[in-house]
Amino acid sequence: MNSNNINEVKSIMIVGVGGQGTLLASRILGNAILAQNYDVKVSEVHGMSQRGGSVVTYVRFGKEVCSPVIDEGQADIIVSFEQLEAARWLKYLKKGGKLITSTQKIDPMPVITGAATYPNNLIEQMKEKGIDLVAVDALSLAEEAGSSKATNVVLMGVLSNYLDFEDKFWEDAINQCVPSKFLDVNRKAFTLGEMHR
């Protein structure tokens, strides 16, 4: 995705479940965008996030953005922290858009209670639909960086491959948003994600 055409509004969705750090990821992305003097609108929707429910953040940027809301079929990129969430929000991806998803699986409440089963082969099913999909074991990369909690920053590293932002904007955004005692882990997590294409 060429983000240098400032007249074109770009739409990115970050989706996951409560506790996965989607909101920190959206702050890092938002700061990296703001530093380049884009107009940016960010909107967060928390389902039952405290109970592991869906959390979605809309990030839109360009020369002038009138609304933060992304409708179905409008997202240029969806970054998903969990496979089922990727499938749940897939209808928001525009034709030719890119889906970046962690391969992590987190059982939703109906699965936990035995009322439903976690669907099999979700990534393969999405690929069969012709979706331009990047699947990454972000949890393992975060653990390699030093903390499973850095999964969100691994995924921002993967995302950075598809935005034309200079590295300094990402570095500054991480420095601004992550507490200093966790910076080393998160910088490494970003680099490991950046290496995954």
Side-chain angles (χ1 to χ4, degrees), residues 17-20 23 46-55 109:
V17 299
Q20 286 194 292
L23 302 182
H46 309 249
M48 295 175 64
S49 57
Q50 298 299 316
R51 299 180 184 172
S54 292
V55 179
M109 193 55 71

Side-chain angles (χ1 to χ4, degrees), residues 2-193:
N2 184 348
S3 56
N4 286 336
N5 183 359
I6 198 168
N7 292 316
E8 186 179 350
V9 174
K10 298 294 182 187
S11 301
I12 300 173
M13 292 176 66
I14 300 173
V15 303
V17 299
Q20 286 194 292
T22 57
L23 302 182
L24 173 61
S26 67
R27 284 203 308 272
I28 291 171
L29 176 58
N31 280 22
I33 294 169
L34 271 176
Q36 298 169 83
N37 298 316
Y38 287 111
D39 183 19
V40 58
K41 299 281 190 296
V42 177
S43 176
E44 301 165 348
V45 178
H46 309 249
M48 295 175 64
S49 57
Q50 298 299 316
R51 299 180 184 172
S54 292
V55 179
V56 58
T57 303
Y58 305 100
V59 180
R60 303 189 75 219
F61 67 98
K63 182 176 182 181
E64 182 177 4
V65 180
C66 298
S67 168
V69 177
I70 300 172
D71 289 325
E72 291 183 14
Q74 288 188 336
D76 294 286
I77 299 176
I78 295 177
V79 180
S80 176
F81 286 44
E82 197 273 334
Q83 289 189 36
L84 193 55
E85 291 301 313
R88 185 190 317 268
W89 295 98
L90 189 59
K91 62 188 172 190
Y92 283 80
L93 190 66
K94 72 183 339 180
K95 188 175 181 181
K98 180 170 290 293
L99 172 63
I100 298 168
T101 185
S102 172
T103 56
Q104 187 174 2
K105 296 179 181 178
I106 297 176
D107 289 341
M109 193 55 71
V111 173
I112 292 171
T113 61
T117 57
Y118 197 100
N120 290 321
N121 306 317
L122 281 173
I123 290 176
E124 290 77 10
Q125 289 176 35
M126 289 186 280
K127 283 182 177 177
E128 287 171 4
K129 291 179 180 177
I131 303 300
D132 184 2
L133 186 153
V134 177
V136 57
D137 186 352
L139 178 59
S140 292
L141 292 176
E143 289 170 344
E144 182 180 336
S147 172
S148 61
K149 292 182 179 179
T151 300
N152 50 359
V153 179
V154 169
L155 289 168
M156 290 300 95
V158 178
L159 173 65
S160 74
N161 292 313
Y162 305 100
L163 298 173
D164 294 332
F165 299 172
E166 293 178 32
D167 288 345
K168 69 176 183 176
F169 294 118
W170 290 107
E171 293 165 7
D172 289 348
I174 291 170
N175 290 338
Q176 292 161 3
C177 297
V178 174
S180 58
K181 64 181 177 181
F182 301 119
L183 272 176
D184 287 345
V185 168
N186 282 278
R187 286 176 183 144
K188 187 174 180 183
F190 185 87
T191 300
L192 289 171

